[in-house]
Amino acid sequence: MIKIGIIKTGIFFLNLIYMFVKLLSVKKKVVMISRQSNMPSLEFQMIQKEIGAQDAETEVVMLCHTLENGVNSTLCDKVRYIFHMFVQMYHIATAKVVILDSYCIAVSILHHKKSLKVIQMWHSMGTMKKFGYTSLDTEEGSKSEIAYAMKMHKNYDYVFASADAYKDHLAAGFGCDRDRILTMPLPRLDLLHSAAYTEETRKRIYDKYPQLKEKPVILYCPTFRKNEEAFEEALKNLTQAIDYEKYNFVAKLHPLSKVKVGKEVIQAEEFSSFEMIFAADYMISDYSCIVYEAAVRHIPLYFYNFDMDCYTDGRGLAVDYYGELPGIISGNPEVIVEAIKSGQYDMERLAAFSDKYVVPVQHATKDIVDFVFKLM
């Protein structure tokens, strides 16, 4: 109760300060805010470029600052983030449109001008696990009392979804009405369809790792686990099941993962998981949303769900895992590797999966920017 009292007091004083900040004039400005990274995402950069191409007079401000552990962050990190929030408050108060790719404290807890429009452009192409209000009080979710005190995911005027299939889940996760959710895939969809980006990305990867041209590439993109003991053993079993005479094996672990991999495994730390999709012939994952991007690229998908019970009994999954996902699903790595070796795959089912969960538009970035300008 003491913690909740402190939160409510803090929100009161921030709104008191914000009341004076809101006296500043609104500019022709779009503000993009993220807690995902300290650097602007690919999506933010693409939107900024398109805005500049359409109207060079529109100011674009990007505010990217991580708070990795949220309310459990160190005091020093919290103090730094509070100062960053004052910067956010100024730009939000003087903007016409705010675009988010994650939860933003300042957007949710403050009382904004009626003229402000807030867009939640969630950072993943789709959803796989429960999140937000659908994962409260689970091991990986937020505490309900904290979430409600912090007004988590409030004040969104619009939420973007990659397809209609996500709308009910996003509405539940964000605690918003379904009619606020618009079918608007992320800008990175343009890159997934781009022959020029594919060629340029492959060249950069092959220049650094020429061996990837010599044999088919199996790309492993697992979800991050807070408890990595079981994952470490599962990864070891998977790496031992790979036939390195026939395949290259690339493992893209989460940046926070402390698990070590064998010398046969390529980690390609210079490249993101997204970039490595363009050099992959097969993808193994589990509950990661990157599978939607791989599906758009028509990359055969395989699902190594060695700890399925942890998700079904804990945080929970948002999809009919066994009914919806294309490709072999198994906790046994040898079953998955044998399926890859067989060369048999239902590509029609993969295409149906992709089309259901990612609307195949050809100009996602332009669609988003056109919508933003309509709000201004």
Side-chain angles (χ1 to χ4, degrees), residues 183-229:
T183 300
M184 202 86 71
L186 292 176
R188 76 182 76 156
L189 182 59
D190 292 338
L191 301 180
L192 292 170
H193 289 311
S194 170
Y197 183 81
T198 298
E199 183 179 353
E200 183 268 332
T201 304
R202 282 179 178 168
K203 183 180 185 306
R204 287 191 292 111
I205 293 171
Y206 293 155
D207 284 348
K208 185 68 178 179
Y209 298 97
Q211 66 268 40
L212 295 183
K213 293 190 293 184
E214 299 170 3
K215 293 177 287 188
V217 175
I218 300 173
L219 176 61
Y220 179 45
C221 295
T223 296
F224 176 65
R225 281 96 171 156
K226 291 182 179 179
N227 184 344
E228 293 197 304
E229 289 184 16

Side-chain angles (χ1 to χ4, degrees), residues 76-365:
C76 185
D77 284 342
K78 288 176 181 174
V79 170
R80 276 199 295 263
Y81 196 79
I82 288 171
F83 279 105
H84 178 68
M85 281 178 61
F86 289 127
V87 177
Q88 291 179 347
M89 288 162 63
Y90 164 76
H91 286 292
I92 293 170
T94 56
K96 289 192 173 183
V97 177
V98 170
I99 302 174
L100 311 174
D101 69 355
S102 47
Y103 168 56
C104 174
I105 296 172
V107 164
S108 291
I109 67 171
L110 297 175
H111 302 298
H112 304 289
K113 295 176 181 177
K114 291 182 180 180
S115 61
L116 180 71
K117 298 300 179 185
V118 178
I119 298 170
Q120 175 58 261
M121 186 185 72
W122 200 238
H123 54 269
S124 61
M125 187 68 81
T127 56
M128 185 72 72
K129 297 169 284 190
K130 291 183 177 180
F131 77 103
Y133 286 97
T134 57
S135 66
L136 292 180
D137 299 318
T138 63
E139 184 177 348
E140 293 188 14
S142 303
K143 298 295 183 184
S144 56
E145 60 178 4
I146 301 294
Y148 288 113
M150 295 292 292
K151 305 181 188 298
M152 185 173 70
H153 295 310
K154 297 305 177 185
N155 291 331
Y156 301 159
D157 293 290
Y158 303 98
V159 175
F160 288 170
S162 294
D164 288 352
Y166 297 117
K167 287 187 175 181
D168 288 336
H169 177 57
L170 289 177
F174 288 125
C176 69
D177 295 333
R178 194 179 190 275
D179 59 10
R180 292 179 183 263
I181 302 174
L182 307 179
T183 300
M184 202 86 71
L186 292 176
R188 76 182 76 156
L189 182 59
D190 292 338
L191 301 180
L192 292 170
H193 289 311
S194 170
Y197 183 81
T198 298
E199 183 179 353
E200 183 268 332
T201 304
R202 282 179 178 168
K203 183 180 185 306
R204 287 191 292 111
I205 293 171
Y206 293 155
D207 284 348
K208 185 68 178 179
Y209 298 97
Q211 66 268 40
L212 295 183
K213 293 190 293 184
E214 299 170 3
K215 293 177 287 188
V217 175
I218 300 173
L219 176 61
Y220 179 45
C221 295
T223 296
F224 176 65
R225 281 96 171 156
K226 291 182 179 179
N227 184 344
E228 293 197 304
E229 289 184 16
F231 172 62
E232 187 168 17
E233 181 66 21
L235 176 59
K236 179 181 177 182
N237 293 337
L238 177 59
T239 56
Q240 290 176 345
I242 301 294
D243 183 350
Y244 294 95
E245 293 295 321
K246 294 183 177 180
Y247 301 99
N248 288 296
F249 183 64
V250 179
K252 293 301 297 177
L253 308 186
H254 192 279
L256 296 178
S257 177
K258 294 180 171 57
V259 172
K260 303 297 181 183
V261 300
K263 61 181 180 180
E264 310 94 340
V265 180
I266 298 169
Q267 289 192 272
E269 294 177 351
E270 303 87 349
F271 302 99
S272 67
S273 298
F274 178 78
E275 290 172 312
M276 288 307 303
I277 289 176
F278 294 88
D281 297 286
Y282 311 93
M283 177 181 282
I284 302 173
S285 190
D286 39 37
Y287 325 104
S288 172
C289 293
I290 198 170
V291 299
Y292 297 110
E293 292 152 20
V296 172
R297 293 286 304 170
H298 309 298
I299 299 171
L301 298 170
Y302 303 84
F303 300 88
Y304 184 31
N305 65 336
F306 60 90
D307 57 353
M308 185 73 173
D309 290 347
C310 296
Y311 283 86
T312 53
D313 298 337
R315 177 173 177 173
L317 297 174
V319 298
D320 178 2
Y321 197 85
Y322 289 102
E324 292 267 26
L325 301 186
I328 292 293
I329 301 172
S330 178
N332 184 340
E334 294 184 1
V335 170
I336 291 174
V337 173
E338 285 303 314
I340 293 174
K341 285 182 178 180
S342 74
Q344 298 178 354
Y345 198 89
D346 189 343
M347 297 302 292
E348 289 186 3
R349 187 180 178 195
L350 178 67
F353 173 77
S354 174
D355 290 345
K356 177 178 179 179
Y357 287 105
V358 184
V359 174
V361 301
Q362 299 298 318
H363 35 70
T365 309

